[in-house]
Amino acid sequence: MSVNKLIYVHDPMCSWCWGYKPTWQKLESALANILPIEYRIGGLAADSDQPMSADMQLQLQGIWKNISNQLGTEFNFNFWRECQPRRSTYPSCRAALIARSFNKEPQMIDAIQQAYYLKAQNPSDEDVLIKLCEKIGLDPCLFTQQLHSKELKRRFDDELNFVRSLPIQGFPSLVLIKNNSAYPIAINYTDWRQTLSEIQSYL
């Protein structure tokens, strides 16, 4: 028997996901007794040890300003002065996957977003992720072991392959699974009720 569900595709370091968060939380709450919700990691930027280029830094700061102007989202721009940015979100994605195993994925996502966007910390760095795992109650030694494990690499590869099979164009994205078919759901960044109405029209 097929199970209807809503898939939320995101990346913990996606700035538009951070901007969407207040609206998403209202939608998620409204769907609590209507439809199961499944989080999936999108994988925005692959592993890299190289410093982010100046052009990319300016581009991302411009996106932050745009989101803040459109949605009123808070950003701490000290990040760009106090950290060495890298175009690498895969480490934070893996951290979210580890937390999922302990039913703490939302807590890890929230900790990563708070660190990145409000506290000027860099979740591309492993030491930051280890501190965040402790903050949400995970064992740092076990977390570190899993972060470098072949099993986690396999799970992450499977996750990315699955996400790439979905009808999405970026992050965040919503996909409704009904009767083994996938339907893209339009995201309204400020009106959760509109998105809810679209979802309900399929049910």
Side-chain angles (χ1 to χ4, degrees):
M1 181 182 297
S2 63
V3 177
N4 297 342
K5 61 186 175 183
L6 183 71
I7 298 177
Y8 176 55
V9 184
H10 72 102
D11 186 293
M13 292 178 68
C14 160
S15 50
W16 279 105
C17 298
W18 172 241
Y20 182 52
K21 186 169 187 172
T23 303
W24 163 243
Q25 288 178 327
K26 292 174 184 175
L27 176 62
E28 188 177 28
S29 178
L31 288 169
N33 298 316
I34 300 173
L35 195 66
I37 294 172
E38 185 176 284
Y39 280 65
R40 290 289 186 160
I41 299 292
L44 185 61
D47 293 311
S48 174
D49 291 326
Q50 298 302 311
M52 189 184 295
S53 69
D55 286 346
M56 177 62 74
Q57 290 189 45
L58 288 175
Q59 180 182 336
L60 290 179
Q61 289 179 66
I63 292 173
W64 286 19
K65 289 174 184 175
N66 184 30
I67 296 170
S68 182
N69 290 336
Q70 285 190 44
L71 304 177
T73 308
E74 183 179 357
F75 290 92
N76 184 348
F77 284 85
N78 288 334
F79 173 84
W80 302 100
R81 293 186 291 273
E82 297 175 5
C83 295
Q84 176 59 74
R86 304 200 314 278
R87 185 65 173 155
S88 181
T89 72
Y90 277 20
S92 66
C93 292
R94 295 189 190 97
L97 276 184
I98 293 171
R100 184 186 298 170
S101 301
F102 298 94
N103 296 315
K104 288 181 174 285
E105 185 176 16
Q107 294 93 318
M108 177 59 84
I109 294 166
D110 183 63
I112 290 169
Q113 291 175 327
Q114 294 274 340
Y116 184 28
Y117 294 114
L118 299 181
K119 299 177 183 177
Q121 299 172 7
N122 192 351
S124 298
D125 295 339
E126 186 175 308
D127 61 335
V128 171
L129 294 174
I130 292 170
K131 290 176 183 176
L132 296 180
C133 93
E134 287 188 271
K135 180 179 178 181
I136 66 168
L138 298 182
D139 179 83
C141 294
L142 181 59
F143 177 85
T144 304
Q145 290 173 0
Q146 293 195 10
L147 202 57
H148 298 284
S149 68
K150 292 181 179 179
E151 171 62 17
L152 182 63
K153 182 182 183 306
R154 182 195 62 76
R155 286 176 56 206
F156 187 40
D157 288 344
D158 288 348
E159 185 103 348
L160 294 183
N161 288 333
F162 173 72
V163 165
R164 288 163 185 164
S165 74
L166 296 173
I168 66 171
Q169 295 183 329
F171 314 125
S173 284
L174 295 172
V175 179
L176 178 68
I177 305 297
K178 182 183 179 184
N179 298 330
N180 295 319
S181 294
Y183 302 94
I185 301 297
I187 283 181
N188 186 309
Y189 282 86
T190 57
D191 186 355
W192 62 270
R193 292 179 180 86
Q194 181 176 320
T195 309
L196 177 62
S197 295
E198 183 179 353
I199 293 168
Q200 289 178 321
S201 71
Y202 285 95
L203 301 178

